[in-house]
Amino acid sequence: MNRINLAEPYIHGNEWQYVKRCLDSGWVSPAGRFVDEFEKEMAARLGSRHAVSCVNGTAALHTALLVSGIGPRDGVIVPTITFIAPVNAIRYTGADPVFMDCDDYLNMDAEKTADYIKKECRFRNGRLYDRRTKNRIRAILPVHVFGNPVDIEPLMDLAEEYDLKVIEDAAESLGSYYKAGRYKGKETGAIGDAGCLSFNGNKIITSGGGGMVVTDDRLLADKIRRLTTQAKDDPVRYIHNTVGYNYRLSNIQAALGLAQLERLDAFIRIKRRNFKLYDGYISNIDGLGLLKEPPYGFSNMWFYSLIVEKRRYGMDNMGLMRALAKEGIGSRPVWHLNHRQRPYLKSRSYRIEKAPLFYKKALNIPCGVELSEKEIKRVIKVIKKNAKR
Ligand SMILES: *Cc1c(COP(=O)(O)O)cnc(C)c1O
């Protein structure tokens, strides 16, 4: 029997044709028609005024933080449950992460974020300081984990009240949006001061590695463009007044990305249909459930999270992962919690209570766009076989 992987790119659109055009024209470097078009289409899709492509999502986060003025002695509030990229990006700037707990949708807990600011920080002369570390809290970096939109309204209110930047990590949530509230109809990534995207091979669309920053702020977009192109201030004499980065996306990558973007809505439809199929089968297995989307948001359903209650199901998430692996089925627990990662053991964290519970229970199960109903049934069969009852 063939292997069922956790996630795989799906490349059956205009990818070959667009990449061929790059090769035939000789426009293969980080400039060219596809870079411009990919940025333009992405900005239109998200309803943002500007989009600047980057070599990957981590570079997008790094530059977005830098142009927001984040640096040493600053603190940035970030969830402990996330792929480590945004946490590392904070550290690249010399700033420190402040780790926040998650809510019931695996996203940064907005209520605890407010508590942290009110109880653990001091607001003086328009600046927010952590009482213990003395760091100046400059920004909130929410991550739309696995596609679920973050409860962003209260975070935006806090940002307004305490003059903080909001940099959204929408690497996993391209196409997710808000169904209700103040941001009804708004896409994730298009609400904060800047939104960062990733087009890595495992994301909902891929450019074979790539990223982008979207923003409505012209000045910010210009700064990002400059910083990602070695901060070249004079294109003839090559004058550089600051240290820049080579963080640009190549035309070939953009060609791939553009072709994939054309398929985004189709991918989301399939992901949501497969989620429903899984959910139908799983809902009558004792001790198991799938993490749902929040009532206020529409999720692209990038990853499916099975919540495994050890006592009732009969084994824990790691046990089920091993059982699935034996049958050639890929699955994975959520990331090791970031406040427990070695480089960040000394960083600040605030009342992390729910995240360790999800860490013990959650398991991501196959979610590729190419997954067939037959394969879903095969996954379910193994899950049922291992159930206590
Ligand atoms: C994938 C991912 C990134 C980083 O993207 P790369 O393109 O791999 O650098 C950042 N944040 C989150 C939440 C991600 O899942």
Side-chain angles (χ1 to χ4, degrees), residues 4-62:
I4 302 177
N5 291 321
L6 181 61
E8 275 171 24
Y10 185 81
I11 299 172
H12 297 286
N14 289 322
E15 290 86 354
W16 275 108
Q17 197 195 323
Y18 292 177
V19 170
K20 186 172 186 305
R21 266 189 232 164
C22 290
L23 301 182
D24 289 345
S25 68
W27 285 88
V28 292
S29 269
R33 211 198 97 197
F34 285 110
V35 174
D36 299 340
E37 201 149 323
F38 189 32
E39 290 176 350
K40 203 180 97 214
E41 289 299 319
M42 191 61 75
R45 163 89 207 194
L46 268 75
S48 293
R49 289 209 188 100
H50 312 279
V52 185
S53 53
C54 294
V55 69
N56 56 49
T58 311
L61 286 158
H62 183 201

Side-chain angles (χ1 to χ4, degrees), residues 27-264:
W27 285 88
V28 292
S29 269
R33 211 198 97 197
F34 285 110
V35 174
D36 299 340
E37 201 149 323
F38 189 32
E39 290 176 350
K40 203 180 97 214
E41 289 299 319
M42 191 61 75
R45 163 89 207 194
L46 268 75
S48 293
R49 289 209 188 100
H50 312 279
V52 185
S53 53
C54 294
V55 69
N56 56 49
T58 311
L61 286 158
H62 183 201
T63 353
L65 287 161
L66 284 174
V67 300
S68 302
I70 315 288
R73 306 296 302 158
D74 289 340
V76 177
I77 305 172
V78 68
T80 188
I81 288 193
T82 169
F83 177 52
I84 202 167
V87 182
N88 283 339
I90 292 166
R91 183 53 69 75
Y92 298 163
T93 69
D96 271 321
V98 175
F99 292 110
M100 198 50 61
D101 200 12
C102 67
D103 62 12
D104 294 333
Y105 301 97
L106 283 186
N107 283 328
M108 182 189 273
D109 188 313
E111 220 168 289
K112 276 187 179 158
T113 306
D115 271 0
Y116 161 72
I117 290 174
K118 281 168 189 148
K119 292 181 183 149
E120 307 281 324
C121 298
R122 184 164 40 170
F123 193 51
R124 236 185 27 198
N125 303 326
R127 293 171 170 210
L128 191 69
Y129 293 94
D130 183 302
R131 287 177 197 271
R132 208 187 298 167
T133 63
K134 313 288 181 214
N135 280 343
R136 181 172 168 198
I137 305 302
R138 291 286 297 268
I140 306 175
L141 201 167
V143 180
H144 305 280
V145 175
F146 298 143
N148 269 347
V150 168
D151 183 11
I152 207 161
E153 258 184 60
L155 296 179
M156 295 302 288
D157 289 342
L158 287 170
E160 172 83 39
E161 190 175 348
Y162 296 100
D163 197 19
L164 306 172
K165 300 282 184 209
V166 176
I167 294 156
E168 293 177 74
D169 182 337
E172 302 178 0
S173 67
L174 184 62
S176 299
Y177 62 85
Y178 291 87
K179 290 193 296 205
R182 195 158 81 217
Y183 300 108
K184 188 174 168 181
K186 275 272 202 190
E187 302 258 331
T188 57
I191 294 167
D193 297 280
C196 300
L197 313 175
S198 164
F199 316 115
N200 188 35
N202 64 344
K203 297 301 191 311
I204 194 153
I205 68 166
T206 183
S207 61
M212 212 176 277
V213 185
V214 294
T215 179
D216 282 339
D217 185 335
R218 175 75 196 264
L219 205 64
L220 211 66
D222 288 346
K223 282 182 180 170
I224 292 167
R225 212 172 276 287
R226 174 173 172 272
L227 209 55
T228 53
T229 52
Q230 302 282 28
K232 188 161 55 186
D233 289 325
D234 184 307
V236 181
R237 305 297 303 268
Y238 281 69
I239 293 167
H240 307 262
N241 293 301
T242 34
V243 177
Y245 300 85
N246 179 10
Y247 272 179
R248 296 175 303 168
L249 191 73
S250 82
N251 203 39
I252 298 178
Q253 289 169 309
L256 260 175
L258 183 67
Q260 287 264 296
L261 182 56
E262 292 170 356
R263 308 297 306 276
L264 175 62

